[in-house]
Amino acid sequence: MQPLAENFFIHGFDAGHEFNLYVVNGWEADDGYVLEFVDNGQGIPAERLNTVRRTLFNPDDASSGSIGLRNVYTRLHFFYGDGCTIEIANNEEAGVKIAVRISKEVIEHVQVDDCG
């Protein structure tokens, strides 16, 4: 999830603004788990946001330049398949909101190592 935070500091952070905010929330929903990344940065122009959404799921299309976001999606999709989604939108107040949703059904089938 690091590239999602990096995107805020590269694209949304405003050094001239005294209150830059980046919040990570996580919760369990009925059908899965949600991680939400919200900032109060500059947001994404509508045309650019549409391009990012369109190319996020197409690894052959490098036109958007959203390499970090696409890498996050690719890695999550590798582990969770279609049981994982990413939604990206402008926040109503300001900034960007990214929601990562992982199905409970899929998590049951993911192998994890005991690192303890």
Side-chain angles (χ1 to χ4, degrees), residues 1-8 10 22 67-69 71-72 75:
M1 299 301 138
Q2 178 183 347
L4 302 181
E6 287 175 356
N7 279 347
F8 167 66
I10 292 170
Y22 187 77
I67 295 167
L69 190 57
N71 283 343
V72 168
R75 289 177 185 172

Side-chain angles (χ1 to χ4, degrees), residues 5-22 39-43:
E6 287 175 356
N7 279 347
F8 167 66
F9 288 101
I10 292 170
H11 302 291
F13 184 84
D14 181 358
H17 192 273
E18 68 180 66
F19 188 67
N20 288 283
L21 182 66
Y22 187 77
D39 68 62
N40 68 342
Q42 300 173 17

Side-chain angles (χ1 to χ4, degrees), residues 1 11 14 20 23 36 38 43 50 53 65 72 75 89 106 112:
M1 299 301 138
H11 302 291
D14 181 358
N20 288 283
V23 177
E36 187 176 72
V38 181
N50 287 333
R53 287 176 177 154
V72 168
R75 289 177 185 172
V106 166
V112 293

Side-chain angles (χ1 to χ4, degrees), residues 82-108:
D82 291 335
C84 177
T85 62
I86 294 181
E87 301 166 9
I88 181 168
N90 281 319
N91 208 8
E92 287 184 23
E93 296 81 25
V96 174
K97 177 169 52 173
I98 299 173
V100 176
R101 299 176 190 280
I102 302 172
S103 163
K104 286 182 180 177
E105 181 180 316
V106 166
I107 290 197
E108 294 173 7

Side-chain angles (χ1 to χ4, degrees), residues 22-62:
Y22 187 77
V23 177
V24 178
N25 291 311
W27 65 89
E28 181 177 357
D30 290 337
D31 59 345
Y33 302 94
V34 180
L35 287 172
E36 187 176 72
F37 306 85
V38 181
D39 68 62
N40 68 342
Q42 300 173 17
I44 304 172
E47 185 176 319
R48 173 84 175 121
L49 182 57
N50 287 333
T51 301
V52 169
R53 287 176 177 154
R54 185 178 61 250
T55 61
L56 177 62
F57 311 110
N58 184 358
D60 297 329
D61 186 350

